[in-house]
């Protein structure tokens, strides 16, 4: 049997909760597994692990996510839904909007934002959108700063050797 490390996850948030819909399928655009067996959900204070087996396709699904911040295990829960889906509600340990679901900063193509939840948590999802926008602006500013730095380094290298030497000597005494 094949083992998939990542299911397809849609996630949204309010100020106090994280909502996840996990779909067990081999592709994002395909229907979920109808016959899920051995479903195991382990919610910890800083991570969530989900495992299941698709009986008809002989596929094992396994996910282990380190979360961006801590959660309250006792009030977090999950429900198995139809067509190979699980709904997870995680209670945040502190009331805040997270910029991402996981502790890992790299983008996972199988984790998408669940914008349809905006109709239920409009104000919080608007805040979430502005946090994402600010994060994008920060990343763009970092890229611009790196470009400016590279240009300055290239310009510095194009100067004659005696000009570069003079700059080093004068910077030493200043």
């Amino acid at each position: 049997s094949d083992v998939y490390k990542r299911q397809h996850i849609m996630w949204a948030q309010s100020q106090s909760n994280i909502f996840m819909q996990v779909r067990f399928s081999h592709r994002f655009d395909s229907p979920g597994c109808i016959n899920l067996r051995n479903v195991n959900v382990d919610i910890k204070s800083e991570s969530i692990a989900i495992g299941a087996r698709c009986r008809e396709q002989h596929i094992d699904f396994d996910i282990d996510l380190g979360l961006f911040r801590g959660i309250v295990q006792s009030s977090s829960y999950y429900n198995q839904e139809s067509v190979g889906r699980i709904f997870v509600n995680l209670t945040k340990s502190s009331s805040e909007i997270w910029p991402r679901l996981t502790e890992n900063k790299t983008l996972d193509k199988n984790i998408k934002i669940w914008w349809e939840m905006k109709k239920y948590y409009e104000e919080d999802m608007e805040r979430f959108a502005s946090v994402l926008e600010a994060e994008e602006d920060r990343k763009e500013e970092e890229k611009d700063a790196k470009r400016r730095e590279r240009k300055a380094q290239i310009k510095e290298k194009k100067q004659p050797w005696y000009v570069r030497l003079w700059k080093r000597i004068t910077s030493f005494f200043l």
Side-chain angles (χ1 to χ4, degrees):
S1 73
D2 296 326
V3 176
Y4 286 88
K5 293 291 180 191
R6 297 266 186 221
Q7 289 78 295
H8 304 288
I9 300 170
M10 300 286 284
W11 79 286
Q13 64 179 314
S14 69
Q15 196 72 20
S16 57
N17 293 82
I18 294 291
F19 311 103
M20 295 170 54
Q21 183 185 68
V22 183
R23 190 174 72 224
F24 298 91
S25 64
H26 63 286
R27 285 193 338 243
F28 206 86
D29 59 349
S30 64
C33 175
I34 296 171
N35 250 334
L36 277 181
R37 298 285 183 244
N38 303 330
V39 175
N40 182 25
V41 178
D42 186 17
I43 299 172
K44 295 183 179 172
S45 62
E46 294 188 2
S47 66
I48 182 168
I50 304 172
R53 178 166 178 74
C54 181
R55 197 169 188 175
E56 64 267 0
Q57 296 173 352
H58 304 292
I59 297 174
D60 292 323
F61 293 95
D62 183 30
I63 186 169
D64 192 6
L65 291 176
L67 299 171
F68 178 73
R69 294 258 198 271
I71 58 167
V72 180
Q73 287 176 267
S74 59
S75 57
S76 298
Y77 63 91
Y78 75 95
N79 292 321
Q80 191 169 341
E81 297 180 340
S82 63
V83 195
R85 290 181 295 151
I86 290 180
F87 174 78
V88 180
N89 186 334
L90 304 174
T91 304
K92 296 177 182 177
S93 57
S94 60
S95 183
E96 64 179 314
I97 297 296
W98 295 2
R100 61 185 180 277
L101 177 62
T102 64
E103 64 187 351
N104 190 349
K105 288 185 178 182
T106 56
L107 190 65
D108 186 327
K109 64 180 179 172
N110 291 328
I111 300 176
K112 308 268 188 229
I113 297 171
W114 195 2
W115 288 115
E116 290 82 10
M117 292 293 279
K118 187 176 177 180
K119 62 185 169 192
Y120 303 111
Y121 302 97
E122 185 168 356
E123 190 176 308
D124 291 332
M125 290 297 283
E126 286 291 336
R127 259 189 249 128
F128 181 33
S130 62
V131 165
L132 291 176
E133 191 174 302
E135 182 68 15
E136 286 297 317
D137 290 346
R138 185 192 61 76
K139 285 179 183 177
E140 194 61 39
E141 182 57 40
E142 279 181 10
K143 284 181 184 177
D144 289 345
K146 285 181 182 178
R147 272 190 228 118
R148 286 191 300 271
E149 187 178 317
R150 277 195 301 268
K151 279 185 179 180
Q153 288 172 347
I154 290 170
K155 186 177 179 181
E156 182 75 24
K157 287 181 181 178
K158 288 182 179 179
Q159 293 179 343
W161 66 269
Y162 52 86
V163 173
R164 292 193 311 262
L165 179 63
W166 180 251
K167 284 185 177 182
R168 284 187 186 166
I169 291 171
T170 56
S171 68
F172 181 73
F173 291 109
L174 295 178

